[in-house]
Amino acid sequence: MGHGISIRFAMHGFRVFLHGRSADSLHNAYIRINKTLELLNDLNVVTHNQKTDILNNIKPTTNLKECVSVSDLIIESIKEDIEQKQILFNEISDLSKPTSILTSNTSSLMPKMLFAKIPNKKNVAVTHYINPAVLVPLVEIVKHEETTEDTILRLTDILKATGSQPIILEKETPGFVTSRLQSALLREALWLVENEIASASDVDKAISHGLGRRWASAGIFEVLELAGWDLLSIIATNLFPELSKSDTPKLLNEKVKTNEIGIKTKKGFYEWTDDSIYELRHKIAKGLVEIQNWDLQKSP
């Protein structure tokens, strides 16, 4: 996620430090950055000249002090390990400016845990990006109980300047908004496949050719306002008791047990090849670009 966030900032004219703990990690990040920029060029999102400007706006470094001591916004994006994140934030807190905003791109860990061991919690928050960060504008901002309103205002302004669309959670909750919604839909999707009601492919089509088409244009509350909550109340009364309540979906556990975990092993609910993996990524990126262009056309 770190390389995608870096590109988003650099695309909008920000000077970015990309910190890696080793030269190898920075090298791998630059491979991903160049592949992403090549894809964006293929989709006519950036030109060759813009690609050069973006790369010039990103400075790689393994020196943590060099980057955090002068940065106004610091976004941590290491793996989901609470102890490692706490250690890193201790280092950053000692090296950064008192006015710097410290954030984490965690998808599941609470601000109260992440920032527990640093003294100043007024300028901290979670900034949860959605992959691919360079094309999905949403960022979930999750406050710590000590985060000031001034910090949230400054953070929101910075994120909007990168073309992002921030939403602000007033309280901590596991999974925030997006992961909770996705997990609820995933649990029901797994139940449908496990009980042989529909194939994984047809469940995907129900979303990509049905619900997802509407949700790309308007949110669930907006869409269902058209139907009316009187009707939805009747449907909910009849259907909610029938929905899956599984805590650990059997089918999901079986996939992990047999190492059929998706493109990492080239087998999951689908069989994957290098070509089909590329085609999927290209399809997703192309669709996101088309939605982005549509959004820009309808903007006043």
Side-chain angles (χ1 to χ4, degrees):
M1 291 289 286
H3 81 281
I5 296 170
S6 297
I7 295 172
R8 175 170 280 280
F9 274 82
M11 282 176 66
H12 289 83
F14 285 82
R15 297 285 293 168
V16 180
F17 284 101
L18 179 62
H19 177 262
R21 286 168 288 185
S22 68
D24 284 344
S25 68
L26 286 176
H27 175 70
N28 291 332
Y30 259 77
I31 291 174
R32 291 192 290 271
I33 286 172
N34 277 290
K35 285 184 177 179
T36 300
L37 291 175
E38 287 172 10
L39 176 59
L40 294 178
N41 179 250
D42 289 343
L43 296 171
N44 298 314
V45 176
V46 298
T47 64
H48 285 293
N49 287 339
Q50 288 171 327
K51 176 182 175 181
T52 300
D53 291 340
I54 291 166
L55 288 171
N56 287 337
N57 279 338
I58 302 174
K59 181 179 180 180
T61 180
T62 56
N63 186 327
L64 186 64
K65 183 178 181 179
E66 176 189 15
C67 54
V68 302
S69 63
V70 297
S71 296
D72 295 316
L73 172 62
I74 300 158
I75 303 176
E76 167 273 318
S77 193
I78 65 174
K79 67 179 182 179
E80 293 287 89
D81 184 309
I82 184 63
E83 291 185 1
Q84 287 194 29
K85 287 180 184 285
Q86 287 177 338
I87 291 169
L88 179 58
F89 275 116
N90 282 344
E91 293 182 61
I92 292 172
S93 179
D94 290 339
L95 298 171
S96 61
K97 300 183 294 183
T99 56
S100 296
I101 301 174
L102 278 57
T103 75
S104 173
N105 182 46
T106 179
S107 59
S108 61
L109 299 173
M110 300 294 98
K112 188 178 293 185
M113 299 167 60
L114 285 168
F115 306 109
K117 297 182 180 181
I118 65 173
N120 179 14
K121 303 176 180 64
K122 294 179 179 179
N123 295 338
V124 302
V126 162
T127 47
H128 178 218
Y129 283 78
I130 312 300
N131 200 27
V134 69
L135 288 175
V136 179
L138 182 73
V139 183
E140 296 180 288
I141 299 176
V142 189
K143 301 177 182 180
H144 186 279
E145 59 186 12
E146 296 182 31
T147 306
T148 66
E149 288 303 313
D150 177 68
T151 296
I152 298 301
L153 287 172
R154 287 195 293 138
L155 180 55
T156 300
D157 286 343
I158 293 170
L159 293 176
K160 285 182 176 179
T162 68
S164 291
Q165 179 62 57
I167 63 171
I168 301 168
L169 279 67
E170 298 297 336
K171 298 178 183 178
E172 295 184 355
T173 188
F176 315 139
V177 172
T178 53
S179 292
R180 290 184 76 94
L181 291 173
Q182 179 172 263
S183 295
L185 181 57
L186 173 61
R187 178 162 62 181
E188 198 60 37
L190 288 166
W191 185 90
L192 289 167
V193 176
E194 187 175 313
N195 287 275
E196 301 181 347
I197 292 166
S199 66
S201 175
D202 281 345
V203 170
D204 278 348
K205 288 176 184 175
I207 296 169
S208 62
H209 295 280
L211 296 172
R213 297 285 177 103
R214 297 196 300 187
W215 292 341
S217 305
I220 187 169
F221 286 106
E222 290 177 310
V223 168
L224 295 183
E225 290 270 299
L226 295 171
W229 296 108
D230 50 346
L231 173 60
L232 269 298
S233 175
I234 295 169
I235 294 173
T237 300
N238 293 331
L239 185 55
F240 278 18
E242 303 298 326
L243 296 178
S244 173
K245 300 175 181 63
S246 172
D247 290 331
T248 53
K250 179 182 176 182
L251 184 56
L252 184 59
N253 292 336
E254 287 177 353
K255 287 293 181 185
V256 174
K257 186 177 180 179
T258 58
N259 204 33
E260 296 180 8
I261 58 174
I263 63 172
K264 294 177 185 177
T265 57
K266 294 190 175 178
K267 188 174 184 180
F269 289 97
Y270 300 92
E271 300 279 346
W272 296 102
T273 64
D274 290 342
D275 286 343
S276 63
I277 292 168
Y278 173 81
E279 289 168 5
L280 174 65
R281 287 178 168 149
H282 191 277
K283 179 177 74 170
I284 292 171
K286 183 173 183 289
L288 291 171
V289 168
E290 289 172 351
I291 293 168
Q292 178 177 281
N293 290 339
W294 184 73
D295 279 343
L296 290 173
Q297 289 172 6
K298 70 177 184 178
S299 297

